[in-house]
Amino acid sequence: MSTTPPVLAAELAQAWADIQRHHPELPDLAAPESLIGESSSACGAELSFERLLHEAVHGIAAARGVRDTSRAGRYHNRRFLAIAEEMGLDHPEEPHASSGFSLVTLNPEARRRYRPTIERLQRALKAHTVATAADTKRSFRGPAARHGSSGGGVRVKAVCDCGRNVRVVPSVLAQAPIVCGGCGKPFRIPETVGAVG
């Protein structure tokens, strides 16, 4: 099995498609490679099938026009929890003070339903981790490599016309457009305007 990021991105896309089979209203995943190595986010979890299903909850919320977070996306509210439960995720009774109901876990039924998908994705993640660790021992790829990024570069802010933004390695954005789920337009790196002296 190849361990290059495009292969892992393909495995993520396949896992997403597996979720879509059970939840057809889930929008397509525009940029699976954007999830690779993204170990720190508002969701605060390493990449796994559970994390992917968590992101799918946000996708369905967006498709339904449901505001499932507040506090700049950090606090996951009860609307998030309701969709998470529909998708096979559970949460302890009380919300976390700063992240709300973000710390969801697969329930036993969902674990059984997605077992082949989970196993396939775990193999791909493990192979990718081994390949990335071996690569960083041989060469210096900058601060992003030390923090688990597969991009090996500094992330910059990309924006869309509706005002939403994402952090992305420019080379990833150059591979193919990353499309905003809100307005349907591609994210772009804004032109830098020189300071007026």
Side-chain angles (χ1 to χ4, degrees):
M1 172 187 292
S2 174
T3 57
T4 59
V7 171
L8 180 53
E11 289 293 344
L12 286 164
Q14 181 59 53
W16 193 265
D18 292 348
I19 298 168
Q20 283 178 311
R21 275 198 294 282
H22 296 282
H23 303 278
E25 68 183 304
L26 178 63
D28 291 339
L29 182 60
E33 63 276 4
S34 68
L35 293 171
I36 300 172
E38 190 68 29
S39 60
S40 62
S41 72
C43 305
E46 289 184 10
L47 186 56
S48 65
F49 181 77
E50 204 165 70
R51 163 80 189 282
L52 194 63
L53 198 56
H54 175 127
E55 294 301 328
V57 173
H58 291 303
I60 287 182
R64 293 179 182 175
V66 171
R67 186 171 176 194
D68 62 340
T69 63
S70 59
R71 301 180 197 166
R74 289 185 308 274
Y75 191 87
H76 293 60
N77 60 33
R78 290 193 184 276
R79 291 181 292 274
F80 170 86
L81 181 59
I83 297 170
E85 288 172 345
E86 284 178 40
M87 297 184 72
L89 293 166
D90 288 334
H91 188 276
E93 289 183 30
E94 295 300 315
H96 185 273
S98 63
S99 63
F101 295 101
S102 71
L103 303 175
V104 288
T105 57
L106 279 169
N107 69 28
E109 181 184 334
R111 194 170 297 281
R112 280 190 301 277
R113 177 186 312 136
Y114 293 112
R115 172 185 264 142
T117 304
I118 292 166
E119 290 172 355
R120 193 179 63 240
L121 185 57
Q122 283 176 335
R123 283 192 303 272
L125 286 165
K126 183 177 179 183
H128 176 73
T129 300
V130 167
T132 303
D135 186 43
T136 57
K137 289 176 187 170
R138 291 193 313 269
S139 62
F140 177 76
R141 298 185 342 170
R146 292 192 302 274
H147 298 291
S149 170
S150 65
V154 176
R155 294 176 189 272
V156 297
K157 182 165 75 169
V159 298
C160 71
D161 290 342
C162 71
R164 297 178 73 208
N165 65 71
V166 295
R167 292 274 175 188
V168 63
V169 176
S171 63
V172 170
L173 191 60
Q175 291 173 8
I178 298 174
V179 180
C180 175
C183 69
K185 294 187 178 174
F187 284 94
R188 59 183 167 68
I189 297 172
E191 299 282 331
T192 305
V193 178
V196 177

